[in-house]
Amino acid sequence: MDCVAIFQIVKDIAVASAAVTTSAIAIMGLKSWKRELKGKTEFEVARALILSTYKLRDELKYARSPWVSGHEFPDDYPQNPSIRTPQIEAEAYAFVYGNRWKPVSVALQEFEAQALEGEALWGVSNKTKTQELRQCVRNLQVSIEAFINDKATGGENFRADRVFGQSVKADVWGTENDNVLTDKINASIAAIEKEIRPHLQRS
């Protein structure tokens, strides 16, 4: 075998090796890019989900404030308590909580959208955590309806079942201490935080 043939063989080997090396580098780069893209996507979804969770938490806290200021009532709400009928009371509180619920509804829609993104990425585990907070929102909505219905009966509903009345008022008038719904809301938020914190740390 002459020198030219040997040189050609060495050249072919070098070209083949370079092609293999280039392919390997390209594959490694593609895998690294996919990991980086996945990490970035998970970080963005996790960040959006936790922000929407906190927004919903804050709106729920406002909606559950036990203090109802005068400007929250309708303009035609009688100042004199003696002329307020059960129907007037019910309509007035329906007005108050209807307005309070509007920002909750907006925050809930955003939370639902982000929770769906999280479910698509992280599956059932994430869905279970966000479902707990959704249930808290639903419980509050039901309690507000029961509270307004009691106003329409002049308080008869709660007089007939004082334990139920106390439970509803505790849901509607959120307090920080020994409040079952408040504790459930806080626990569900803590569970969401724990679930997505690892994805936030990958940034």
Side-chain angles (χ1 to χ4, degrees):
M1 185 178 292
D2 58 19
C3 292
V4 174
I6 293 173
F7 176 77
Q8 186 62 43
I9 292 171
V10 171
K11 180 182 177 184
D12 291 343
I13 293 173
V15 170
S17 297
V20 170
T21 301
T22 301
S23 297
I25 292 173
I27 291 170
M28 290 174 61
L30 181 60
K31 288 181 178 179
S32 176
W33 176 77
K34 284 183 176 179
R35 284 195 301 269
E36 182 179 346
L37 181 61
K38 184 175 184 290
K40 183 179 180 181
T41 299
E42 290 189 343
F43 172 79
E44 290 174 350
V45 171
R47 182 175 180 275
L49 176 54
I50 200 63
L51 287 176
S52 66
T53 299
Y54 292 155
K55 177 64 174 175
L56 181 56
R57 174 201 63 191
D58 292 346
E59 295 300 351
L60 287 171
K61 185 175 182 179
Y62 167 71
R64 299 176 70 209
S65 172
W67 171 252
V68 182
S69 62
H71 76 273
E72 290 189 79
F73 288 103
D75 293 338
D76 59 353
Y77 184 62
Q79 297 296 317
N80 186 350
S82 65
I83 63 174
R84 297 175 192 164
T85 65
Q87 187 61 31
I88 289 174
E89 286 285 280
E91 290 176 357
Y93 278 95
F95 180 84
V96 169
Y97 284 103
N99 286 330
R100 286 189 178 191
W101 196 258
K102 288 176 183 176
V104 173
S105 181
V106 172
L108 180 60
Q109 288 178 11
E110 178 62 21
F111 173 77
E112 292 280 11
Q114 301 306 330
L116 192 61
E117 292 263 11
E119 182 185 347
L121 283 176
W122 306 309
V124 176
S125 178
N126 183 76
K127 180 180 180 180
T128 301
K129 302 298 187 302
T130 56
Q131 184 60 38
E132 292 170 1
L133 185 54
R134 288 190 196 96
Q135 188 58 52
C136 290
V137 176
R138 179 57 183 156
N139 290 349
L140 176 58
Q141 190 174 29
V142 170
S143 290
I144 289 174
E145 291 171 1
F147 180 80
I148 293 170
N149 287 337
D150 178 69
K151 293 292 184 183
T153 65
E156 286 299 323
N157 288 352
F158 291 174
R159 276 193 289 271
D161 190 341
R162 294 186 181 278
V163 174
F164 173 68
Q166 290 172 354
S167 175
V168 167
K169 289 177 181 178
D171 286 353
V172 176
W173 299 332
T175 57
E176 296 299 325
N177 299 319
D178 300 323
N179 186 289
V180 175
L181 184 57
T182 299
D183 291 344
K184 286 182 179 179
I185 291 172
N186 291 338
S188 63
I189 291 171
I192 293 171
E193 289 174 329
K194 184 177 180 180
E195 179 76 11
I196 69 173
R197 188 173 292 117
H199 306 294
L200 290 171
Q201 293 172 344
R202 290 177 186 172
S203 61

